[in-house]
Amino acid sequence: MWDEQLGRAVATVVVAVGGSLALAWLSGKVVRQAARGRVAPFLSTLHRECHRPWSATLLVTGLLLAVPFSGITGEVRDEALHTLLLALIYAGAWLVIRILFVFEDTAFRRLPVDMADNRRRRRARTQIGLLRRLTAVIISIVALAATLMTFSQLRALGASLLASAGVAGVVAGLAAQSVLGHVFAGLQLAFSDELRLDDVVVVDEEWGRVEEIRLTYVVVRVWDQRRLILPTSYFTTTPFQNWTRNEAQVLGSVILHLDFTADIDVLRAEAHRIVDASALWDRREWVMQVVDATETTICIRLLASAADAPSSWDLRCELREGIFAFLRRHHPDWLPRARSELAAPVEEEALPPARHTAAGPPTGRTGTTRLGRPGAGGPDPGSSRGTGPRGRAARAAGTRQFGSAAANRRQRTIDSAAADSPRPGD
């Protein structure tokens, strides 16, 4: 009896598995045969992405239908049905999520961005990608809730997850958490048109392009091929620059510091020639102006428009190279120069000649020591031995007085000698 039931169960499983695999192969062959013409890319992607989940769903469905005919009864039958039911839920969720990927890929293929004005298409691609990810999350939650409902002990919890009030309560309860906050920020970015795929942005002083927008984070490809991974809430709470918010065209600037002798008209003509000859200029705008002046140079700004940010960067580099090459060849004197003015030398006051003193060799003005004051450091400016005006005046007056006294003494000597000499007739 047991052997007969076991053989019947094995046969039923073999038939179910074989029929399911045969049906999966047949359906795949039909899809490949139908993949012709305009629908060929869609059906080819559908077969490639959904072949495995479709085969798994068919296999689980075939086994689930074969259990009642297998002759298995009792708890074994109930456990087998419950296990296959769980497998069917997850296989179905897997299949639906892969189908969403197929539709996303088809939409992206119909919305290429390799064109000049691709702002609307980039916005559509951003929204489609976020919606697909959000739908995948919802399908996963529904699959989890359906799994919980298959258990009698957890059926109430599963029902609350599926109920609208229960879902709202769970979302409201988890909204304060950082992960779900990033999810809401990602949806806000997508549907408020603040950020799109392939946007040119400047974040944390880094220039780059938006490469991916996920539900919880954004990937920015920096100009040197690095990647910045930022949470989506960063773009809703922190200011950032979006150079392609309304259009991809940008205006690039070049700053030059030149000497005051530079001829602006000649330089403007050369700059126009360089800009007009460049294939990177989009023929919209260009201007050259003197925008500032410092103590040593004038500041000249060149503005030129380009189709996008990378073209603008290359155009700015081309302008710098052309202008400096022109200055080096024809006007090197226009480059910044440092000027200085040499003042005439100041004549020093002539020193008085050295004089001899009774105590030693000739000395200067500062080497004279006052008599009567041992250890004095120099002459008194007000004394007769000083070097100031008063000292010189006193020395002159003393010289006059000394001369008058000597003359008087000589006169008295002559008078005395005359008195002592014998007079005639004595």
Side-chain angles (χ1 to χ4, degrees):
M1 184 68 179
W2 172 253
D3 294 339
E4 183 180 352
Q5 291 182 352
L6 182 59
R8 183 179 177 182
V10 171
T12 304
V13 170
V14 169
V15 172
V17 171
S20 301
L21 294 179
L23 184 59
W25 175 81
L26 182 60
S27 60
K29 190 172 182 59
V30 171
V31 170
R32 288 194 300 270
Q33 290 294 329
R36 297 176 181 176
R38 297 181 59 185
V39 296
F42 172 75
L43 293 180
S44 299
T45 305
L46 182 66
H47 179 264
R48 183 179 65 253
E49 297 291 338
C50 301
H51 177 68
R52 291 184 178 180
W54 172 246
S55 300
T57 303
L58 289 178
L59 179 59
V60 174
T61 303
L63 292 175
L64 188 61
L65 295 176
V67 168
F69 303 98
S70 63
I72 301 175
T73 58
E75 294 183 359
V76 176
R77 181 176 179 272
D78 295 338
E79 292 296 334
L81 288 175
H82 186 251
T83 302
L84 291 173
L85 181 59
L86 295 179
L88 181 61
I89 292 173
Y90 288 118
W94 183 19
L95 178 61
V96 173
I97 291 174
R98 299 311 300 177
I99 291 175
L100 291 176
F101 273 97
V102 172
F103 280 105
E104 180 191 31
D105 182 76
T106 303
F108 283 2
R109 193 164 47 249
R110 293 179 177 272
L111 296 172
V113 293
D114 53 347
M115 53 189 308
D117 188 9
N118 55 7
R119 185 174 61 89
R120 295 182 181 275
R121 297 192 176 191
R122 288 189 291 110
R123 179 179 61 184
R125 288 169 70 102
T126 302
Q127 295 175 352
I128 291 172
L130 284 179
L131 281 177
R132 194 269 304 161
R133 293 180 176 88
L134 180 62
T135 307
V137 171
I138 294 175
I139 291 173
S140 301
I141 294 176
V142 171
L144 178 61
T147 301
L148 295 177
M149 290 185 66
T150 60
F151 298 91
S152 58
Q153 297 86 354
L154 300 176
R155 187 166 299 169
L157 179 60
S160 64
L161 286 174
L162 289 177
S164 59
V167 173
V170 171
V171 171
L174 296 178
Q177 302 300 321
S178 60
V179 174
L180 201 55
H182 295 329
V183 172
F184 290 154
L187 294 176
Q188 178 181 347
L189 288 178
F191 291 97
S192 62
D193 205 21
E194 296 179 13
L195 196 67
R196 298 175 294 267
L197 290 172
D198 209 39
D199 267 347
V200 177
V201 295
V202 178
V203 291
D204 287 342
E205 299 182 357
E206 295 280 2
W207 182 95
R209 287 182 176 273
V210 178
E211 189 174 51
E212 295 181 41
I213 299 180
R214 302 283 182 171
L215 284 175
T216 57
Y217 65 90
V218 176
V219 180
V220 179
R221 185 181 73 252
V222 190
W223 63 272
D224 56 359
Q225 302 304 315
R226 290 180 293 123
R227 264 63 173 179
L228 289 180
I229 311 297
L230 301 169
T232 52
S233 58
Y234 173 89
F235 294 92
T236 59
T237 59
T238 306
F240 66 96
Q241 298 182 37
N242 190 340
W243 290 13
T244 53
R245 172 66 174 80
N246 295 321
E247 57 182 7
Q249 297 170 338
V250 293
L251 198 64
S253 64
V254 175
I255 303 297
L256 302 175
H257 291 272
L258 300 178
D259 192 73
F260 285 97
T261 59
D263 192 329
I264 304 301
D265 294 332
V266 173
L267 193 63
R268 182 178 285 111
E270 178 63 18
H272 182 264
R273 185 192 67 79
I274 297 173
V275 171
D276 190 62
S278 176
L280 300 172
W281 183 43
D282 62 358
R283 271 60 184 169
R284 285 193 306 121
E285 301 179 35
W286 96 272
V287 67
M288 192 192 88
Q289 297 172 320
V290 178
V291 295
D292 198 2
T294 65
E295 296 178 352
T296 57
T297 61
I298 57 175
C299 184
I300 298 176
R301 184 177 66 181
L302 288 167
L303 296 178
S305 59
D308 49 33
S311 301
S312 176
W313 173 268
D314 294 337
L315 177 60
R316 290 161 60 192
C317 296
E318 187 176 329
L319 280 173
R320 289 191 193 95
E321 294 172 2
I323 291 295
F324 284 122
F326 170 75
L327 294 175
R328 185 176 62 254
R329 288 194 305 265
H330 302 287
H331 300 284
D333 54 321
W334 291 358
L335 295 174
R337 291 183 294 175
R339 293 177 172 83
S340 61
E341 182 178 355
L342 299 178
V346 180
E347 296 183 358
E348 298 182 356
E349 181 181 0
L351 296 176
R355 68 178 182 274
H356 292 272
T357 61
T363 60
R365 293 185 301 173
T366 59
T368 305
T369 303
R370 295 180 58 189
L371 298 177
R373 294 186 59 188
D380 184 3
S383 67
S384 62
R385 295 182 180 272
T387 59
R390 293 175 56 188
R392 289 194 294 270
R395 286 198 301 273
T399 301
R400 290 193 298 270
Q401 293 175 3
F402 177 79
S404 299
N408 292 335
R409 283 196 299 271
R410 284 195 300 270
Q411 185 64 36
R412 284 195 300 269
T413 302
I414 294 172
D415 291 343
S416 176
D420 294 338
S421 64
R423 298 178 179 178
D426 289 343

